[in-house]
Amino acid sequence: AKFDHEWDPETDMDPNIILDTTGFVQETEKDEEGIEIGYDPMFGPSNPVDTRTKTGVRESYMIDQATRDDSMLTPQFQPGDLEIQENEEFVTFRKSLDIIESYVDEFLPDMVIPRHVATWHGAPDPMKYPPKPYTNNRFTAPEKLTNFDAMDPYAARTRAVELARSNNAEWLPDGVSQSWHMQQRRPYEEVGTLVGTLRKGVCDPTIVETIQPALKILGSSAELLSIEQGTVFRFHYHGLIKNKYGMACWTETLIRDCGVDVTG
């Protein structure tokens, strides 16, 4: 058994697709530049009146047309009343108007919210990852792939261990890993920058004395390394990486509370 909002994309047709667009808004309103009103490059469309909005006057959404029985309602006119025909003509004319019934949402007072829209059945819950070939490896060219299927288990394991350890510093000759890291670091050494290192630099004693209340609160969780240009502070953070950004913002607030400007 499935709920009404559940559907399998492999066997069921997408119920969110509107096959017959008669009675719906054919195109979302656009401005003079041809851009959809309410569209944001980051968050996408936000206009409530889109192609799922129904036009024209609708009966009460609480009465299903399949079970509607007007005989159960209190008649609006007595039998033979002359206004019955005029009322039917007026109702027919009102239903023929190509308008959008809307209402004002208390949380969106500046937007027009349509009252009648197509039912949204939601997106299916992902039950599994999309299939991918096991040879999907962005680092190895297809012509250089090792055919493990043609090897026996012992040979395949031996080759796998060999490949896994080929770039491991523990299995490289002495000095290879050190020279690689020195080569990566050489451009920074030539410039003389402290970026990317934990080396201590120059700290203005006056500023250090001023921010002592902040440093005492941080304690051993952060160590001051240097002060650049009087407003850029370098710290060595010793806590959890998930709290790094929050600690940086909190440290900036603590330093500002001491009367010192912070720009980085």
Side-chain angles (χ1 to χ4, degrees):
K2 296 190 301 183
F3 294 101
D4 294 338
H5 62 274
E6 293 181 330
W7 58 281
D8 188 353
E10 296 182 358
T11 58
D12 301 337
M13 181 179 177
D14 189 349
N16 298 312
I17 299 177
I18 303 175
L19 300 178
D20 185 7
T21 59
T22 304
F24 289 89
V25 174
Q26 300 300 315
E27 184 180 6
T28 307
E29 187 179 0
K30 297 178 174 58
D31 57 15
E32 61 275 4
E33 297 180 356
I35 301 176
E36 180 180 329
I37 293 179
Y39 178 80
D40 185 88
M42 181 175 295
F43 301 102
S46 63
N47 189 357
V49 182
D50 55 8
T51 54
R52 304 186 65 83
T53 302
K54 297 180 180 180
T55 60
V57 180
R58 293 290 185 276
E59 296 290 347
S60 175
Y61 60 89
M62 302 187 65
I63 301 177
D64 191 352
Q65 295 295 334
T67 59
R68 175 170 179 159
D69 186 3
D70 292 336
S71 62
M72 300 177 62
L73 303 175
T74 302
Q76 297 179 343
F77 303 96
Q78 297 297 328
D81 196 323
L82 298 178
E83 293 187 5
I84 295 178
Q85 182 62 30
E86 295 181 0
N87 183 69
E88 291 180 354
E89 294 177 357
F90 179 78
V91 171
T92 303
F93 169 74
R94 186 169 180 268
K95 289 183 178 181
S96 66
L97 296 177
D98 192 16
I99 61 176
I100 299 176
E101 289 190 342
S102 61
Y103 65 96
V104 177
D105 193 316
E106 60 177 330
F107 298 103
L108 302 170
D110 299 331
M111 302 184 70
V112 177
I113 310 299
R115 187 174 296 278
H116 306 292
V117 296
T119 303
W120 176 255
H121 299 271
D125 295 331
M127 304 301 295
K128 58 185 178 181
Y129 292 105
K132 291 184 178 180
Y134 74 95
T135 57
N136 182 21
N137 190 335
R138 69 180 69 179
F139 304 105
T140 305
E143 60 273 9
K144 295 183 179 180
L145 286 175
T146 303
N147 188 9
F148 288 99
D149 296 333
M151 301 180 181
D152 58 80
Y154 176 79
R157 183 183 183 280
T158 303
R159 179 58 178 165
V161 173
E162 178 184 350
L163 293 174
R165 294 175 176 175
S166 60
N167 293 325
N168 194 312
E170 298 178 0
W171 296 85
L172 292 175
D174 186 26
V176 175
S177 178
Q178 294 86 338
S179 62
W180 184 86
H181 285 286
M182 291 178 61
Q183 183 180 3
Q184 298 296 315
R185 185 64 197 169
R186 184 175 297 113
Y188 301 95
E189 298 292 346
E190 294 175 355
V191 176
T193 179
L194 297 176
V195 175
T197 70
L198 296 178
R199 299 177 184 177
K200 290 189 176 182
V202 179
C203 295
D204 189 344
T206 304
I207 299 179
V208 174
E209 185 65 26
T210 306
I211 64 173
Q212 278 300 318
L215 297 179
K216 290 181 180 179
I217 294 176
L218 295 175
S220 60
S221 62
E223 176 187 1
L224 179 63
L225 297 179
S226 67
I227 303 176
E228 308 293 337
Q229 301 176 0
T231 58
V232 179
F233 296 81
R234 292 176 59 247
F235 283 89
H236 183 192
Y237 174 56
H238 300 280
L240 298 176
I241 192 65
K242 67 178 182 179
N243 299 329
K244 183 178 180 181
Y245 182 75
M247 285 292 294
C249 297
W250 185 45
T251 303
E252 180 179 346
T253 302
L254 293 176
I255 296 176
R256 290 184 185 274
D257 291 344
C258 295
V260 179
D261 189 22
V262 182
T263 59

